[in-house]
Amino acid sequence: MAFRKLIVLLALSRTIIASPAPGPAPIDEAAPLVTASPIQWEATKTKRDLGSYLTSVIGGLGSNIPNYVTDGVANFFQDFPTGSAVQSSLGLDDSQLAAYPTQVLNLGPYANYTDLGWNVRFHGNVYKQPNISESDLNKLANKFLIGTSIEQLPPEQQNNARNLTSEIFIVQQGNVSVTMNIEPALLAGSSGEPGGSNALAPSGGFENLTIPYNTSAEGDYDVFLPINNISNALIAGNATDRIQQLNIYAKGAYADSGNATAFLVPNKGLTVISDIDDILRVTKIYQPSEGLLNSFARDFVPWMNMPNIYANWSKSLPNMHFHYLTTTPEQATRPYENFIYKTYPGGSFDTRPLNFSDVSATLSIREFLLEKIFQTFPERKFILVADTSNSDVMRDYPGLVGKFPGQVQCIFLRNTSSTDSGDKFPYDTSGFKGINQTMYMFFNVPDDLTGLDIANGQCYNASVKQNVTFSEQGLPLGLSKKSLATSAFQEVHVARGVWVAGLAVLLARLFTIL
């Protein structure tokens, strides 16, 4: 999510003035639940027009704002750099590219238990990372910075910017077979980080497993596969409420790269699904220059004492599963994973795969990933955590209450505009109309989440003023209810949800300087 909403934010951040709004019991073994085989999901393609409002706003900002912003749909996703585009722009022939090692980005998977046993969702990307000169990396990195340049940054931030730039300019490897090595996770934390979670390390579980499908044209793989458990070292998911861990990494031609930790999640229990930007870390995506520096150059910094809140949940509810979901493009995932695994409880991880390659699919990626995990664990209950600066969150989180009755335990949303005057954008609370207040809370600071009995569904701190109007809120000139102007602001909200496409725009522009 590091670059989402960037283009629209650049256009609007100075033009909208908003008014801030304020010990588990033993369980009986049950029959395993049969989970349907995963199927291909093609995101609904819905085009929305920003209309005359956004056109007039952007028109006053000069010619630097691309026309596709006023259209409400960005056709530049066809220009998102593919492996061949990166290769061509760097002037590499096939023999030169072949000399670089093949690497794997393995995203921390979750596993469910079915009549076939444990099924692990292997997902990630296969790629080659060319060597790019420091001077070219500096040129590329400067395209991401607003009001500064890499030469003006402190040395540590220069290195961060160059490292992320090099991770973005990779050559994805399509039609590649991937083999995984599986073994017990001897450390408690995710991806080898100690102390990161309370999951069990099983006594066995060694296995080599080849993914039955080659990677997509974008180098992606995403499939549920059963693991054998020949040694019976893994406890059945319907016979325990404890999460178990396995280490996985790609084998063979990949130099044993792609290390990750798989979380074997029991059929029943609580899962936290958490966004990252502006809820777990300080990003300020609503202030473009700050957002880019915080995402691209500066070290990631936790948002206030939010790590303490998650640590307390992990300690007081030791069987809780944490799942981190960000719509950050795959190439920019590693800094997010490193930050999470060093700062928050270990957990599984989701990001935006490269095969979500048009705007409508990008608008639907969070919904797609949320529904996948809800469908995978139909007997678990979910605690959803994010902030109000995401239009897709404001739509998708309350929507899950109706789509999956009884599965949403709590919804916690940080009201960014109530504590950060830099957030000038409205947010839509209409999706929460009809939902019991005890199920959700708009909060201001992490301490608002203390003292809640979330295991038993107490999700609302009555001392935290809500001021929910079930309409567009935080509008300029004091507007906070549906009106003729509201439809325009709803379209602005949709565009803000597309800011993840800003990275694709910048990447497309970057090719012109190489």
Side-chain angles (χ1 to χ4, degrees):
M1 198 167 69
F3 298 97
R4 67 167 189 256
K5 297 183 286 190
L6 174 59
I7 295 301
V8 176
L9 288 172
L10 286 170
L12 299 178
S13 61
R14 298 178 182 177
T15 63
I16 297 179
I17 301 174
S19 300
I27 61 174
D28 297 327
E29 182 167 352
L33 183 70
V34 178
T35 300
S37 300
I39 60 173
Q40 181 71 29
W41 179 304
E42 182 177 358
T44 304
K45 293 178 171 55
T46 304
K47 179 174 180 178
R48 301 196 180 186
D49 185 2
L50 294 182
S52 59
Y53 169 78
L54 187 54
T55 302
S56 64
V57 169
I58 295 176
L61 296 175
S63 59
N64 291 329
I65 304 302
N67 291 334
Y68 48 70
V69 176
T70 61
D71 293 336
V73 172
N75 294 322
F76 51 77
F77 265 95
Q78 286 78 8
D79 297 323
F80 197 95
T82 63
S84 58
V86 174
Q87 181 180 349
S88 175
S89 68
L90 296 176
L92 297 174
D93 60 34
D94 290 344
S95 62
Q96 290 173 311
L97 182 64
Y100 292 108
T102 301
Q103 301 184 55
V104 176
L105 170 67
N106 234 344
L107 297 172
Y110 51 75
N112 70 336
Y113 188 76
T114 73
D115 59 336
L116 298 177
W118 284 107
N119 297 268
V120 178
R121 180 190 167 209
F122 296 96
H123 62 306
N125 187 265
V126 180
Y127 63 94
K128 288 178 180 286
Q129 187 172 18
N131 290 329
I132 305 176
S133 69
E134 182 171 306
S135 60
D136 279 342
L137 283 175
N138 288 347
K139 292 177 183 178
L140 293 169
N142 280 334
K143 291 291 183 177
F144 290 97
L145 302 173
I146 299 175
T148 187
S149 67
I150 192 169
E151 293 79 9
Q152 295 175 296
L153 298 177
E156 183 178 353
Q157 293 185 22
Q158 290 185 28
N159 289 334
N160 290 343
R162 280 190 288 265
N163 288 340
L164 182 55
T165 301
S166 65
E167 291 176 3
I168 289 170
F169 278 83
I170 59 177
V171 182
Q172 294 83 17
Q173 299 296 290
N175 197 32
V176 173
S177 176
V178 180
T179 297
M180 296 294 178
N181 176 274
I182 306 171
E183 59 186 32
L186 300 180
L187 296 177
S190 177
S191 294
E193 293 293 340
S197 74
N198 292 304
L200 293 174
S203 59
F206 296 92
E207 183 177 352
N208 289 331
L209 188 152
T210 298
I211 293 177
Y213 312 104
N214 287 356
T215 57
S216 68
E218 298 85 4
D220 285 332
Y221 57 91
D222 191 340
V223 62
F224 280 89
L225 291 178
I227 54 179
N228 288 329
N229 192 23
I230 296 175
S231 63
N232 292 318
L234 304 177
I235 306 171
N238 58 350
T240 183
D241 57 3
R242 294 295 302 274
I243 294 172
Q244 301 166 83
Q245 288 185 167
L246 293 171
N247 281 336
I248 61 173
Y249 58 89
K251 270 184 71 72
Y254 317 112
D256 292 337
S257 67
N259 295 349
T261 300
F263 290 79
L264 280 57
V265 182
N267 294 2
K268 296 181 180 180
L270 290 175
T271 290
V272 172
I273 300 180
S274 181
D275 193 11
I276 297 175
D277 284 303
D278 289 313
I279 182 67
L280 301 188
R281 81 174 188 99
V282 176
T283 311
K284 294 182 180 289
I285 57 176
Y286 32 79
Q287 294 177 281
S289 59
E290 283 294 294
L292 278 175
L293 284 173
N294 289 333
S295 299
F296 198 71
R298 296 168 179 160
D299 289 339
F300 285 12
V301 176
W303 176 57
M304 299 183 70
N305 60 323
M306 203 64 176
N308 295 340
I309 300 298
Y310 274 44
N312 180 63
W313 286 352
S314 181
K315 182 179 179 180
S316 61
L317 299 168
N319 303 327
M320 178 176 280
H321 166 223
F322 290 85
H323 181 68
Y324 300 97
L325 193 162
T326 173
T327 55
T328 300
E330 233 166 26
Q331 301 100 313
T333 298
R334 290 193 192 278
Y336 280 77
E337 286 188 312
N338 293 338
F339 168 73
I340 289 296
Y341 296 152
K342 292 177 181 178
T343 315
Y344 289 94
S348 48
F349 214 93
D350 256 324
T351 186
R352 178 168 69 86
L354 296 184
N355 58 7
F356 275 74
S357 56
D358 62 26
V359 173
S360 56
T362 300
L363 285 171
S364 303
I365 182 57
R366 191 185 302 274
E367 180 184 29
F368 167 71
L369 295 173
L370 286 168
E371 292 193 3
K372 180 188 286 284
I373 192 170
F374 268 69
Q375 292 165 353
T376 301
F377 300 103
E379 295 183 276
R380 292 187 72 83
K381 293 183 181 294
F382 295 87
I383 298 164
L384 309 177
V385 187
D387 67 278
T388 57
S389 71
N390 292 282
S391 62
D392 52 352
V393 161
M394 299 301 292
R395 174 197 66 212
D396 295 339
Y397 274 16
L400 291 168
V401 175
K403 287 182 179 180
F404 299 93
Q407 284 191 257
V408 176
Q409 182 90 336
C410 301
I411 300 176
F412 296 126
L413 292 169
R414 175 199 171 193
N415 185 348
T416 52
S417 65
S418 70
T419 55
D420 193 334
S421 60
D423 184 3
K424 306 293 187 183
F425 283 90
Y427 54 95
D428 186 359
T429 58
S430 60
F432 290 86
K433 189 172 185 178
I435 298 178
N436 193 315
Q437 175 67 78
T438 60
M439 290 182 62
Y440 69 90
M441 180 172 65
F442 292 86
F443 68 99
N444 304 308
V445 294
D447 284 345
D448 293 340
L449 300 173
T450 59
L452 297 176
D453 185 8
I454 58 177
N456 292 307
Q458 183 200 354
C459 313
Y460 172 50
N461 182 345
S463 67
V464 180
K465 192 174 182 179
Q466 295 298 283
N467 292 330
V468 178
T469 65
F470 307 113
S471 63
E472 286 286 341
Q473 298 188 225
L475 298 178
L477 305 178
L479 295 175
S480 61
K481 295 182 178 180
K482 299 289 185 182
S483 67
L484 293 177
T486 300
S487 60
F489 280 100
Q490 289 173 326
E491 302 304 337
V492 173
H493 240 335
V494 172
R496 294 174 61 228
V498 194
W499 87 272
V500 63
L503 176 58
V505 179
L506 291 171
L507 286 172
R509 291 178 57 197
L510 289 175
F511 286 111
T512 64
I513 70 171
L514 283 176

